[in-house]
């Protein structure tokens, strides 16, 4: 065996081992990906392989995937999505969708997902997924559903929609152009739309009604901590001149603008007004004492016209001090035993002066006192909801008077920047969909715009980058270099031709679909399409059949990138926000790929008269 054959054999071993290790999930994806890249570098250093032009495959070729434009695009789109999340820019559209569907999560998701599939037939599906990902995430959050149940279906339906028209994906155009150059076949815009709709329709039934049941609800530790907390805090809202609640009148004993809070008391000067509130009109100088969950208080703080101020001058409001301007985070702390805060009220404690954090609410497990928050004397075990900068909250770890609950820290959405974020997002999607500017260009520019406009800071942008995606893409592109450089991909294609010699057209078509379907989940779909287009045409010519059936088979199979996150760009985009693991795609995507294969194997011979 020469060095090329040895390198090819070892390449197959590394790829197979990598896929198995990804699937068993015993080791971190980043570790496995780095190990596979290292293995390729060592193999090709020991057994040098030349390209057809005579140049050697070098270490730089295996590392070039980490600067691939597709990878940069995915990372930048994740950062842009983080900008929409940080500003809560899509809260209004999400609530409108939920209202139209009467709050039922399945009803809310299905129309959006079907819209995605329809748009993907005429637009590049990557910007379509980017556009709808934050909307679906917001819809899921509004109805209390895990995003994991809707984001993988989002990617899969975009791929299914893209296989129904000639411009549905770049793969379709690539195969059609290659076929036109090497044969007399001229595919038109809707040439394969009828059979594409049949295949996509069958796949959509699985994606919408069966696949969500296979997807685990997986959250980060912080999300689990926050979502499990339905406890109520005592808080107070100071009504000042120009406050959004000035002039609000009670209706049926309640205040409609505070529907997600329980108003326990309105303090007007020295006079307390107790519920039920009849004909009470809020005016400047009033203090509204409420019981509310952390989510309700965060929403009151994050509104474009906040009901509660964490960064306003408190000299007129009775607050102890003012919180720092800029990005505000919320966290929960527990008053420690023997704390100096015990027996003191908040104004007496000097908590803000000592810590730089402002107390927004107090929660007491034993009872909920009906008095102003600033009049409550603190006890050991009281939970304080505090607001401040991330640095100020981090310093609470060294404070002996309170115990910081680390996983409770979360940033308050900066809703005042929501219009900017929406404009940036709309421009990125519009330019990418128009084709006038490469999507990587719009993604990089959009990322810069999100940061420079204040929608995100550098730390928030860096947090949006998923190391799993970075390593997965880099390692998969290194594997593609090894396969193509050693001739491994060509060897698979040649073996298929010999294997199918003398078989019936139906068997040939089914086998071609199956092989391409497998390869497209590990190579890029464009690479698989380019490799097999001449093979598909040759197979058709050998049996005297029209090449259209084989070329369409190749188009649909190359688009069947469901079984791995590295199979298609949109899978990588939803992997981070959905908290998916590699095995989630194997579990949910493999049945879909097999369903499409079986459906095509049954429908295509009838449709093309083979």
């Amino acid at each position: 065996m020469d060095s090329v054959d040895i390198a090819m054999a070892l390449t197959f071993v590394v790829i197979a081992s990598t896929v198995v290790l990804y699937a068993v999930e015993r080791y971190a994806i980043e570790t496995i990906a780095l190990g596979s890249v290292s293995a390729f570098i060592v193999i090709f250093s020991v057994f040098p392989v030349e390209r057809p032009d005579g140049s050697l495959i070098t270490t730089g070729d295996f590392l070039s995937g980490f600067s691939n434009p597709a990878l940069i695009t995915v990372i930048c789109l994740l950062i842009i999505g983080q900008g929409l999340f940080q500003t809560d820019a899509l809260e209004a559209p999400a609530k409108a969708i939920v209202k139209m569907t009467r709050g039922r999560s399945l009803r809310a998701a299905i129309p959006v997902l079907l819209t995605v599939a329809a748009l993907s037939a005429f637009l590049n599906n990557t910007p379509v997924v980017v556009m709808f990902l934050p909307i679906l995430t917001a819809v899921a959050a509004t109805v209390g559903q895990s995003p994991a149940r809707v984001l993988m279906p989002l990617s899969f339906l975009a791929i299914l929609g893209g296989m129904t028209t000639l411009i549905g994906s770049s793969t379709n155009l690539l195969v059609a152009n290659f076929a036109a150059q090497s044969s007399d076949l001229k595919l038109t815009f809707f040439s394969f739309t009828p059979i594409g709709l049949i295949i996509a329709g069958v796949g959509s039934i699985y994606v919408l009604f069966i696949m969500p049941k296979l997807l685990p609800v997986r959250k980060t530790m912080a999300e689990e901590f926050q979502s499990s907390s339905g406890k109520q805090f005592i808080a107070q809202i100071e009504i000042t001149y120009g406050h959004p609640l000035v002039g609000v009148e009670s209706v049926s004993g309640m205040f409609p603008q505070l529907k997600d809070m329980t108003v326990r008391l309105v303090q007007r000067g020295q006079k307390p007004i107790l519920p039920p509130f009849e004909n009470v009109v809020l005016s400047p100088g009033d203090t509204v004492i409420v019981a509310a969950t952390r989510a309700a208080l965060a929403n009151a703080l994050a509104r474009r016209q906040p009901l509660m101020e964490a960064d306003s001058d408190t000299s007129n409001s009775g607050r102890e001090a003012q919180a720092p301007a800029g990005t505000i985070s919320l966290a929960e702390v527990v008053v420690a035993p023997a704390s100096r805060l015990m027996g003191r009220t908040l104004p007496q404690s000097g908590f803000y002066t000592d810590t730089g954090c402002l107390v927004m609410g107090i929660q007491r497990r034993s009872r909920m006192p009906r008095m102003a928050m600033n009049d409550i004397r603190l006890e050991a075990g009281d939970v304080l909801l505090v607001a401040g900068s991330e640095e100020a909250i981090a310093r609470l770890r060294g404070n002996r008077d309170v115990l910081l609950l680390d996983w409770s820290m979360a940033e308050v959405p900066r809703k005042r920047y929501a219009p900017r974020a929406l404009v940036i997002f709309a421009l990125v999607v519009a330019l990418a969909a128009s084709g006038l500017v490469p999507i990587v260009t719009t993604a990089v520019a959009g990322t810069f715009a999100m940061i420079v406009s204040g929608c995100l800071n550098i730390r928030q942008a860096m947090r949006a980058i998923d190391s799993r995606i970075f390593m997965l893409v880099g390692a998969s592109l290194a594997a593609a270099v090894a396969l193509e450089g050693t001739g491994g991909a060509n060897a698979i294609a040649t073996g298929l031709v010999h294997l199918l010699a003398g078989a019936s057209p139906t068997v040939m078509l089914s086998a071609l679909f199956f092989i391409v379907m497998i390869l497209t989940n590990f190579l890029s779909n464009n690479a698989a399409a380019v490799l097999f287009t001449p093979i598909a045409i040759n197979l058709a010519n050998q049996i005297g059949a029209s090449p259209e059936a084989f070329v369409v088979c190749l188009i649909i199979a190359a688009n069947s990138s469901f079984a791995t996150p590295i199979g298609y760009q949109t899978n990588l985009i939803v992997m981070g926000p959905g908290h998916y693991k590699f095995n989630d795609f194997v579990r949910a995507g493999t049945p879909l790929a097999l369903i499409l294969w079986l459906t095509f194997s049954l429908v295509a011979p009838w449709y093309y008269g083979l």
Side-chain angles (χ1 to χ4, degrees):
M1 294 177 68
D2 58 22
S3 63
V4 175
D5 294 331
I6 296 173
M8 183 193 299
L10 292 175
T11 294
F12 284 126
V13 170
V14 171
I15 291 175
S17 302
T18 301
V19 172
V20 170
L21 289 173
Y22 281 153
V24 298
E25 297 181 348
R26 185 172 180 179
Y27 305 101
I29 282 179
E30 295 91 334
T31 304
I32 300 168
L34 181 60
S36 69
V37 174
S38 302
F40 287 129
I41 291 173
V42 171
I43 290 169
F44 282 74
S45 297
V46 176
F47 304 102
V49 175
E50 291 185 353
R51 292 191 180 88
D53 61 4
S55 62
L56 287 174
I57 297 176
T58 64
T59 299
D61 295 319
F62 293 109
L63 299 178
S64 62
F66 294 102
S67 61
N68 186 276
L71 175 57
I72 302 301
T73 300
V74 170
I75 289 175
C76 288
L77 292 177
L78 289 174
I79 294 174
I80 291 171
Q82 182 73 6
L84 293 172
F85 172 77
Q86 288 294 145
T87 57
D88 225 355
L90 294 170
E91 180 188 31
K95 286 185 175 179
I97 292 172
V98 172
K99 185 176 181 180
M100 287 188 294
T101 55
R102 299 180 181 178
R104 297 187 181 181
S105 57
L106 186 61
R107 284 188 179 182
I110 287 179
V112 178
L113 291 171
L114 292 177
T115 301
V116 168
L119 288 176
S120 295
F122 304 97
L123 299 172
N124 184 306
N125 46 22
T126 299
V128 172
V129 168
V130 171
M131 178 168 56
F132 281 92
L133 185 148
I135 295 176
L136 271 177
T137 302
V139 169
T142 303
V143 298
Q145 185 184 41
S146 170
R149 294 289 174 85
V150 294
L151 294 188
M152 194 183 293
L154 168 67
S155 175
F156 286 4
L157 280 170
I159 296 172
L160 288 172
M163 62 175 63
T164 58
T165 67
L166 185 63
I167 65 168
S169 75
S170 59
T171 304
N172 303 0
L173 286 169
L174 194 63
V175 173
N177 290 337
F178 202 99
Q181 294 171 7
S182 55
S183 70
D184 296 330
L185 178 63
K186 307 292 183 184
L187 293 177
T188 61
F189 194 95
F190 295 110
S191 286
F192 51 90
T193 297
I195 189 170
L197 286 174
I198 294 172
I199 305 298
V202 173
S204 298
I205 294 173
Y206 166 81
V207 171
L208 292 174
F209 301 107
I210 300 175
M211 194 177 83
K213 299 177 182 178
L214 302 178
L215 295 172
V217 177
R218 188 174 288 117
K219 299 181 179 180
T220 62
M221 291 182 69
E223 287 173 333
E224 289 176 356
F225 183 94
Q226 293 162 18
S227 64
S228 64
S229 177
K231 55 193 176 187
Q232 301 266 317
F233 289 88
I234 291 292
Q236 63 187 47
I237 302 174
E238 311 285 354
I239 309 298
T240 57
Y241 288 99
H243 193 280
L245 294 181
V246 170
V248 170
E249 184 176 0
S250 60
V251 177
S252 301
M254 302 174 65
F255 294 96
Q257 286 79 355
L258 299 174
K259 59 184 177 181
D260 55 350
M261 302 180 182
T262 301
V263 179
R264 298 175 61 84
L265 170 71
V266 176
Q267 187 73 36
R268 180 165 291 170
Q270 299 298 317
K271 177 186 176 183
I273 304 175
L274 301 175
F277 304 102
E278 298 294 340
N279 302 318
V280 176
V281 179
L282 298 179
S283 58
D286 289 348
T287 300
V288 182
I289 312 303
V290 299
T293 63
R294 171 181 170 151
L297 293 175
N299 188 53
L301 190 63
R303 288 174 47 157
R304 295 178 190 177
Q305 290 185 309
L307 299 181
M308 304 174 70
E309 292 287 350
D311 57 355
S312 61
D313 189 355
T314 57
S315 58
N316 297 324
S317 64
R319 287 278 188 149
E320 171 198 349
Q322 65 180 38
T327 301
I328 298 173
S329 296
L330 289 179
E332 296 175 29
V333 298
V334 179
V335 177
S339 167
R340 291 175 297 175
L341 302 179
M342 292 172 56
R344 297 182 179 182
T345 64
L346 287 174
Q348 293 171 347
S349 69
F351 186 79
Y352 174 77
T353 304
D354 292 339
T355 65
C357 297
L358 188 66
V359 176
M360 306 301 298
I362 301 174
Q363 192 266 335
R364 182 164 291 171
R365 300 183 187 281
S366 58
R367 61 195 180 279
M368 298 288 281
R370 195 182 294 274
M371 63 176 67
M373 185 180 74
N374 284 348
D375 294 335
I376 298 175
R377 294 190 178 275
L378 300 176
E379 299 177 359
D382 285 351
V383 180
L384 310 181
L385 182 66
V386 298
S389 67
E390 186 170 348
E391 293 76 15
I393 291 176
R395 287 196 296 269
L396 293 176
R397 294 188 181 95
N399 191 304
R400 296 185 178 182
D401 294 318
V402 294
L403 305 173
L404 174 65
L405 304 179
D406 270 310
W407 288 109
S408 68
M409 187 165 65
E411 291 176 343
V412 176
R414 308 174 74 182
K415 292 188 178 182
R416 64 175 64 91
Y417 294 106
R420 301 182 194 178
L422 283 173
V423 169
I424 294 168
F425 176 63
L427 288 174
V428 168
V429 172
L431 289 173
S434 69
L436 298 175
V437 183
I439 188 170
V440 64
T441 304
T442 60
V444 172
T447 299
F448 174 73
M450 281 287 185
I451 295 172
V452 78
S453 66
C455 299
L456 283 174
N457 56 39
I458 293 295
R459 177 179 47 78
Q460 292 165 339
M462 293 300 295
R463 197 168 58 207
I465 299 174
D466 193 327
S467 60
R468 298 175 305 162
I469 293 175
F470 182 77
M471 293 304 299
L472 270 174
V473 174
S476 66
L477 292 174
V481 169
L483 267 180
E484 293 173 10
T486 59
N490 276 319
I492 294 172
T494 304
L496 175 64
V497 173
H498 290 304
L499 181 66
L500 297 180
S504 67
T506 300
V507 173
M508 283 188 175
L509 211 56
S510 181
L512 177 65
F513 191 108
F514 189 78
I515 296 296
V516 175
M517 177 187 73
I518 292 175
L519 286 180
T520 195
N521 282 284
F522 301 102
L523 292 172
S524 74
N525 48 5
N526 286 342
V530 169
L531 181 66
F532 276 87
T533 299
I535 295 172
I537 294 173
N538 287 337
L539 285 174
N541 292 336
Q542 286 177 12
I543 61 174
S546 168
E548 182 175 352
F550 288 82
V551 171
V552 171
C553 169
L554 178 59
I555 288 174
I556 296 177
N559 279 295
S560 300
S561 311
F562 306 110
T564 66
I566 59 178
Y568 199 70
Q569 198 171 34
T570 56
N571 291 351
L572 291 170
I573 291 173
V574 303
M575 185 178 181
H579 306 302
Y580 298 120
K581 295 183 178 180
F582 188 94
N583 207 33
D584 294 332
F585 285 89
V586 176
R587 182 190 303 113
T590 301
L592 176 58
L594 293 175
I595 288 170
L596 298 191
W597 169 56
L598 291 172
T599 304
F600 186 86
S601 298
L602 294 173
V603 173
W606 162 78
Y607 183 80
Y608 289 106
L610 297 178

